[in-house]
């Protein structure tokens, strides 16, 4: 369980091809503070630490990604040197500052427009058609692991506004038109849709 509030920006240090792809990520998380088997969200995808190593900047850890995950997220596009939004799993008693995020990507969207304005950045993102009914004006959505508020929606395209702080401490400031992004819809919207469907049957 996560909140969509990014706690570090890691860098993809190396990758190993194979039936299960292995990613080595450098982060500023203290080496002694990480545990094997722990979950960390990588651009919104919950992955398990299978190796942990000390690093001058904090730590290097390895996660393994299945072909299915590579196919349904943007992780298959990663290249050495890419910056990654990281969030450690929520602990009991932690502040829930964003919204409830599961780390299970629902689909991949595409940035169709970027607007750089004074003090903020606006984005238009096209979501897969199957997800549009779960996206609501002023509702929550997770983009690349970041909890955001939907400013508007028309059809399959929704609007976002990113403040300078968010652009600085996440990878969202690097997004350009044509780039793909991991999307996770609000779990509450999923439950509401399911309840509505059940009530009509």
């Amino acid at each position: 369980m996560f909140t969509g509030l990014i706690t570090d920006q890691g860098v993809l240090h190396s990758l190993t091809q194979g039936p299960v792809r292995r990613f080595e990520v450098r982060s500023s998380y203290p080496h002694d503070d990480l545990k094997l088997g722990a979950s960390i969200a990588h651009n919104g995808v919950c992955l398990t630490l299978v190796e942990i190593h000390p690093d001058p900047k904090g730590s290097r850890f390895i996660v393994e990604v299945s072909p299915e995950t590579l196919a349904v997220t943007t992780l298959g596009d990663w290249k050495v040197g890419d910056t990654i939004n990281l969030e450690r799993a929520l602990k009991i008693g932690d502040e829930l500052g964003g919204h409830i995020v599961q780390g299970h990507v629902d689909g991949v969207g595409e940035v169709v427009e970027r607007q750089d304005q004074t003090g903020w950045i606006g984005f238009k993102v096209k979501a897969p058609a199957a997800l549009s009914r779960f996206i609501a004006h002023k509702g929550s959505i997770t983009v690349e692991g970041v909890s955001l508020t939907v400013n508007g929606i028309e059809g399959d395209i929704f609007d976002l506004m990113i403040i300078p702080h968010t652009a600085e401490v996440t990878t969202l400031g690097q997004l350009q038109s044509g780039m793909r992004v991991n999307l996770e819809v609000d779990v509450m919207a999923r439950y509401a849709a399911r309840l509505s469907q059940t009530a009509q049957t």
Side-chain angles (χ1 to χ4, degrees):
M1 192 73 69
F2 305 93
T3 69
L5 298 183
I6 303 306
T7 53
D8 191 23
Q9 291 189 73
V11 175
L12 184 59
H13 185 64
S14 67
L15 64 87
T16 303
Q17 302 283 357
V20 174
R21 194 169 301 182
R22 289 166 61 89
F23 293 111
E24 183 180 26
V25 179
R26 296 182 71 179
S27 82
S28 64
Y29 294 139
H31 165 256
D32 294 339
D33 200 29
L34 298 178
K35 296 181 179 180
L36 288 177
S39 297
I40 293 180
H42 297 66
N43 283 2
V45 183
C46 178
L47 299 174
T48 301
L49 306 189
V50 298
E51 289 185 27
I52 304 170
H53 305 281
D55 185 89
K57 293 189 175 181
S59 59
R60 285 181 295 112
F61 55 81
I62 292 177
V63 293
E64 297 179 330
V65 183
S66 70
E68 171 68 13
T69 301
L70 294 173
V72 300
T73 71
T74 64
L75 273 62
D77 302 335
W78 282 3
K79 302 178 298 297
V80 172
D82 283 353
T83 305
I84 303 165
N85 292 325
L86 300 177
E87 182 188 356
R88 299 180 65 178
L90 186 67
K91 297 178 181 178
I92 294 176
D94 285 351
E95 179 180 353
L96 184 61
H99 71 282
I100 296 174
V101 177
Q102 295 180 301
H104 302 155
V105 170
D106 294 305
V108 174
E110 179 185 351
V111 178
V112 296
E113 184 178 328
R114 171 178 172 142
Q115 298 177 333
D116 288 276
Q117 304 290 339
T118 302
W120 59 277
I121 305 172
F123 291 105
K124 290 184 179 295
V125 179
K126 184 175 182 180
L131 297 184
S132 296
R133 67 191 185 106
F134 300 112
I135 303 173
H137 180 235
K138 298 304 179 184
S140 297
I141 191 166
T142 308
V143 179
E144 291 292 276
V146 183
S147 172
L148 298 170
T149 299
V150 177
N151 285 346
I153 183 166
E154 184 173 350
D156 297 338
I157 297 177
F158 62 93
D159 299 331
L160 301 171
M161 184 182 75
I162 309 299
I163 62 174
H165 175 76
T166 302
E168 180 180 350
V169 301
T170 74
T171 63
L172 298 188
Q174 303 171 18
L175 293 180
Q176 301 292 336
S177 295
M179 296 181 71
R180 305 196 315 146
V181 290
N182 291 323
L183 302 178
E184 181 184 330
V185 298
D186 189 350
V187 66
M188 300 303 292
R190 278 196 172 280
Y191 283 126
R194 178 58 179 163
L195 286 171
S196 176
Q197 182 184 37
T198 302
Q200 295 172 7
T201 59

